[in-house]
Amino acid sequence: MRVLAIYRENPGFRGRPHTKDLRLSLCGSRNLCVFIMDIFTRTKALIGEEGFSRLSCAHVLLCGCGGVGSYTLEALVRAGIGKITVIDSDTVDITNLNRQIIATYDTIGMPKTAAAEKRALSVNPKLDFSAINIFLDRDNISDTLPCNIDYIVDAIDFVPAKVALARYAQDKHIPIISCLGTGNRLDASRFRICDIYSTSGCPLARKMRYELKRAGVERLTVLHSDAKTIQPESTFDSGKRTVGSISYVPSAAGLLIAQHVITQLLKEIQK
């Protein structure tokens, strides 16, 4: 915990306060005003106590903790979201280091949920963090998802599961945002948040629209990009074409998703 010490030489002091970390108990000087600071002091200064209280009471479900999801997690934790559940069945691989914030040489081979928990709690030890290490699909969603969710973030790339999540959210009246394609792109400035049925220029969006109509999903908030895709040069040994990626594109998408979730939660207190 950091202590802000403001020394006043006279009652009319209006200068900028000096700050320092104090390890000793404070004396009873009348010229010393003390304020307790914590990791969210600047957040509260921006959104107020009521706004911060809303975030600290919120439960966000994050499905997928890769290039997009890990940065969404980072921003949600640092904004003060009180409870986060992460679902992912994958492990950290060396090829994740170019774009996933939970990926380091120390976490290679670790379940992504464990790496996510380690990083999240290193920022906010008081966070209520839950990890579900499972591959999410249309058959296990209803049995896997936790109760009392305030917001769902879909950052997975398996279309049947994305569609099932959207249908679940619609049936349960839970706000959701779904991330569409971020791979094979160099331009991070083309991301937009809109309804899925207003998208264009994204191959994944086209496929999603077809499947969502079949599933009876009437609307879905998505983050998509109409940036030009680049054909990757390399392939895996199996012949399957590699999806190219770079550090700043999925991270930008993840941060924009976190912004959307946080601002939507804060709008609730304005109603």
Side-chain angles (χ1 to χ4, degrees):
M1 181 178 293
R2 191 176 182 218
V3 178
L4 172 63
I6 303 178
Y7 295 87
R8 291 194 176 96
E9 296 180 355
N10 58 70
F13 176 81
R14 290 294 183 272
R16 182 176 180 179
H18 297 284
T19 62
K20 63 180 180 178
D21 294 315
L22 301 180
R23 69 176 69 178
L24 302 176
S25 59
L26 297 170
C27 65
S29 172
R30 65 180 181 180
N31 291 326
L32 181 64
C33 296
V34 179
F35 301 89
I36 303 301
M37 301 181 71
D38 62 27
I39 63 175
F40 299 116
T41 296
R42 295 181 186 275
T43 306
K44 294 173 185 176
L46 182 65
I47 65 176
E49 289 289 346
E50 187 179 8
F52 182 75
S53 177
R54 178 65 191 101
L55 298 186
S56 64
C57 292
H59 179 193
V60 176
L61 171 65
L62 174 60
C63 301
C65 199
V68 175
S70 62
Y71 275 90
T72 299
L73 174 66
E74 184 83 5
L76 293 177
V77 171
R78 291 181 185 274
I81 296 295
K83 180 175 177 60
I84 301 175
T85 299
V86 175
I87 300 178
D88 201 305
S89 64
D90 204 0
T91 57
V92 178
D93 182 82
I94 193 169
T95 61
N96 300 148
L97 269 70
N98 77 322
R99 69 195 184 284
Q100 300 184 17
I101 199 168
I102 61 171
T104 66
Y105 270 97
D106 292 334
T107 61
I108 290 175
M110 184 183 295
K112 286 186 178 179
T113 51
E117 180 174 15
K118 179 181 179 181
R119 183 169 182 90
L121 295 181
S122 72
V123 174
N124 181 13
K126 295 182 179 180
L127 172 69
D128 186 352
F129 187 97
S130 297
I132 303 176
N133 194 26
I134 193 172
F135 182 80
L136 206 58
D137 61 38
R138 70 179 81 188
D139 297 322
N140 63 14
I141 279 181
S142 60
D143 295 328
T144 301
L145 300 195
C147 300
N148 303 317
I149 305 167
D150 292 294
Y151 227 102
I152 297 175
V153 174
D154 162 27
I156 56 181
D157 54 12
F158 184 50
V159 172
K162 295 176 79 70
V163 173
L165 270 174
R167 180 70 208 203
Y168 180 91
Q170 177 176 281
D171 292 345
K172 300 293 184 180
H173 306 289
I174 303 172
I176 182 173
I177 181 169
S178 178
C179 185
L180 300 182
T182 64
N184 296 338
R185 292 171 171 84
L186 281 174
D187 188 351
S189 69
R190 304 297 299 177
F191 286 117
R192 301 290 184 271
I193 293 177
C194 64
D195 186 77
I196 182 73
Y197 295 111
S198 299
T199 58
S200 62
C202 175
L204 179 57
R206 187 182 308 114
K207 186 174 183 179
M208 283 282 291
R209 289 194 299 269
Y210 174 76
E211 295 296 338
L212 288 167
K213 287 179 181 178
R214 292 183 61 194
V217 177
E218 299 174 356
R219 62 183 63 87
L220 176 64
T221 300
V222 297
L223 179 136
H224 81 106
S225 172
D226 60 3
K228 181 181 178 181
T229 56
I230 298 170
Q231 192 74 0
E233 295 182 1
S234 60
T235 60
F236 289 126
D237 292 338
S238 62
K240 182 179 179 181
R241 189 171 293 278
T242 303
V243 176
S245 63
I246 198 165
S247 57
Y248 58 85
V249 173
S251 57
L255 295 175
L256 286 171
I257 289 173
Q259 171 188 284
H260 179 80
V261 172
I262 291 164
T263 54
Q264 291 301 306
L265 289 171
L266 291 175
K267 284 181 180 179
E268 294 179 7
I269 65 176
Q270 300 172 1
K271 294 180 179 179

